Amino acid sequence: MSLPHAILTALLEKPSSGLELTRRFDKSIGYFWSATHQQIYRELGRLEGEGLIRALPTEQPARGQKKSYEVLPAGRAELARWTAASQDPKPARDALLLRLRAAAVVGTEGIAADLRHHLALHQRQLAEYQEIEERDFGFGTDSAQARLHHLVLRAGIDLETFWIQWLTHALGEFEQLPAESG
Amino acid sequence: MSLPHAILTALLEKPSSGLELTRRFDKSIGYFWSATHQQIYRELGRLEGEGLIRALPTEQPARGQKKSYEVLPAGRAELARWTAASQDPKPARDALLLRLRAAAVVGTEGIAADLRHHLALHQRQLAEYQEIEERDFGFGTDSAQARLHHLVLRAGIDLETFWIQWLTHALGEFEQLPAESG
DNA sequence: GGCCGTTGTGCAACTAGTTGCACAATCGGT
DNA sequence: ACCGATTGTGCAACTAGTTGCACAACGGCC
């Protein structure tokens, strides 16, 4: 239920074509709501059909031509409605923790390597977030918008930090484990 | 791709009927891989069809009768295979962070109340985890199995702690924000 | 002994996200 | 002028998870 709202938010921040949206998702909104270009195009079509957004006028609206969208008043209203409405959190799903649980029964083979892999990914992500923080929120950010964006970024940073700590701890535990435990 | 493996794990820990599985998911494996009873029944049917589990023999196998399943060797092998194989982490999806981002554009109305709601839920969850930790891992847990289970629980505890801290911080920020920021 | 809540199993339809591919336009080299 | 890589848009089929409902059996209760 959230992809359309992610797109509306992105389009309000800046009207864009499908590909531009895809790129921006990859390095901003996508950090906490990822989407592939196929999803985005499909959703743009739907939103246009519902009258929430519209394609900006262009000379040659043909296949393979850039087509930009902007949010219409109805779209903004819908986003405001959705944002204000309370939502229950989605139930958690974490395959890595599930695998650890499975490993307790069928053996830990292969897990340690993957923990290291995850650790590397989280370290990379954290570095990326920290770069953004330095670049965009270096000092005295004061507008309400900037504060909210910073808040979201903080969540990302702290979350990555948590994972890095936990994975490091987990790898330590693994070294003390007998070679096979299934 | 993980629900069948979650079920295999649970069944290896203890053969169970659909309802028993549902209950155990609610207070153990479901903490990081939730599933409804409908999903579980459907998946049990599939797993049985694939020869990975089988129904324990019973006198009256009729509707409304308890039917327990156990894992067959093929099922254990499949679980071992899945556990050992490396997997890429799923892209993140967090509606609350998305809403904050949307709020930066269309206004923060309604958000603070929901942050408080989430905070309460996470506090409750943390308390539950801590209770389990005291009950099951009070002191000197040494078997490899227990250590792995504890490790997973630790992840849960630290994750809830992170959310509680972040939400508390976020609520603090909100108090300093102008009443309307869209 | 009929009613009702609980336990237990299950199907069908729907929604959301993923994967795999198709195809047009543009640009740079040759 | 042609060719292939890149940019940009999009459909179709599939997989996973959710929602809503149906229905049988059991256990008490009045």
Side-chain angles (χ1 to χ4, degrees):
Chain A
M1 284 298 294
S2 299
L3 179 57
H5 302 101
I7 290 179
L8 287 171
T9 303
L11 284 181
L12 278 170
E13 286 172 9
K14 179 169 170 1
S16 311
S17 69
L19 192 68
E20 281 163 359
L21 274 181
T22 303
R23 298 227 192 295
R24 287 172 52 210
F25 262 68
D26 283 348
K27 53 173 36 210
S28 160
I29 288 191
Y31 289 144
F32 44 89
W33 203 276
S34 76
T36 62
H37 79 274
Q38 290 90 337
Q39 278 177 280
I40 289 173
Y41 281 115
R42 179 170 44 181
E43 205 59 48
L44 283 171
R46 280 185 198 153
L47 289 168
E48 191 178 21
E50 291 168 11
L52 301 188
I53 64 175
R54 68 159 185 184
L56 287 175
T58 170
E59 314 75 56
Q60 283 292 91
R63 224 184 146 85
Q65 291 265 276
K66 203 183 279 193
K67 192 161 77 170
S68 280
Y69 293 89
E70 66 176 357
V71 178
L72 294 171
R76 175 180 277 266
E78 165 56 23
L79 184 61
R81 187 204 60 71
W82 176 81
T83 304
S86 96
Q87 292 174 218
D88 283 329
K90 287 261 147 172
R93 292 229 157 76
D94 189 301
L96 190 58
L97 296 179
L98 180 57
R99 275 174 76 199
L100 236 45
R101 192 66 185 254
V105 190
V106 297
T108 56
E109 207 198 330
I111 298 265
D114 229 31
L115 291 180
R116 275 187 283 274
H117 180 215
H118 277 70
L119 180 55
L121 292 176
H122 285 296
Q123 280 166 339
R124 174 133 49 89
Q125 191 65 54
L126 177 59
E128 205 170 322
Y129 285 160
Q130 282 170 339
E131 216 173 282
I132 296 176
E133 189 175 38
E134 275 175 44
R135 170 160 48 77
D136 296 355
F137 306 99
F139 49 90
T141 57
D142 30 23
S143 84
Q145 258 215 14
R147 286 170 94 124
L148 287 169
H149 280 205
H150 197 179
L151 201 50
V152 172
L153 184 60
R154 258 343 299 176
I157 289 174
D158 293 352
L159 203 45
E160 295 303 328
T161 303
F162 148 73
W163 278 114
I164 289 168
Q165 279 172 4
W166 180 81
L167 284 164
T168 304
H169 171 62
L171 282 164
E173 280 284 301
F174 264 67
E175 275 164 28
Q176 296 169 37
L177 237 48
E180 240 339 83
S181 67
Chain B
M1 285 301 292
S2 299
L3 178 58
H5 302 101
I7 290 179
L8 287 172
T9 304
L11 284 181
L12 278 170
E13 286 171 9
K14 178 171 171 0
S16 312
S17 69
L19 192 68
E20 282 163 358
L21 274 181
T22 304
R23 298 228 192 293
R24 288 172 51 209
F25 262 68
D26 283 349
K27 51 172 40 209
S28 159
I29 288 191
Y31 290 144
F32 43 89
W33 203 276
S34 75
T36 62
H37 79 273
Q38 290 91 337
Q39 277 178 278
I40 288 173
Y41 281 115
R42 178 170 43 180
E43 205 59 48
L44 283 171
R46 280 185 198 154
L47 289 168
E48 192 179 19
E50 291 168 10
L52 301 188
I53 63 175
R54 69 159 182 183
L56 287 175
T58 170
E59 315 75 56
Q60 282 293 91
R63 224 186 146 86
Q65 292 263 276
K66 203 182 275 193
K67 192 161 76 170
S68 279
Y69 293 90
E70 67 174 359
V71 178
L72 293 171
R76 175 180 278 266
E78 164 57 23
L79 184 61
R81 188 204 59 72
W82 177 81
T83 304
S86 96
Q87 291 174 220
D88 283 329
K90 286 261 146 169
R93 291 230 157 75
D94 188 300
L96 190 58
L97 296 179
L98 180 59
R99 275 173 77 199
L100 236 46
R101 191 66 184 253
V105 190
V106 297
T108 55
E109 207 198 328
I111 298 265
D114 230 30
L115 291 180
R116 274 187 286 273
H117 179 214
H118 277 70
L119 180 55
L121 291 176
H122 285 296
Q123 280 165 340
R124 174 132 51 88
Q125 191 65 53
L126 176 59
E128 206 171 320
Y129 286 159
Q130 282 170 338
E131 217 173 281
I132 295 175
E133 190 176 38
E134 276 176 44
R135 169 159 49 76
D136 297 356
F137 305 99
F139 48 91
T141 57
D142 30 23
S143 83
Q145 258 215 14
R147 286 170 94 124
L148 287 169
H149 279 205
H150 197 178
L151 201 50
V152 173
L153 184 59
R154 255 348 296 175
I157 289 174
D158 293 352
L159 202 46
E160 295 304 328
T161 302
F162 149 72
W163 278 114
I164 290 168
Q165 278 172 4
W166 180 81
L167 285 164
T168 304
H169 171 61
L171 282 165
E173 280 283 302
F174 264 67
E175 274 165 27
Q176 296 170 38
L177 237 48
E180 240 340 80
S181 68

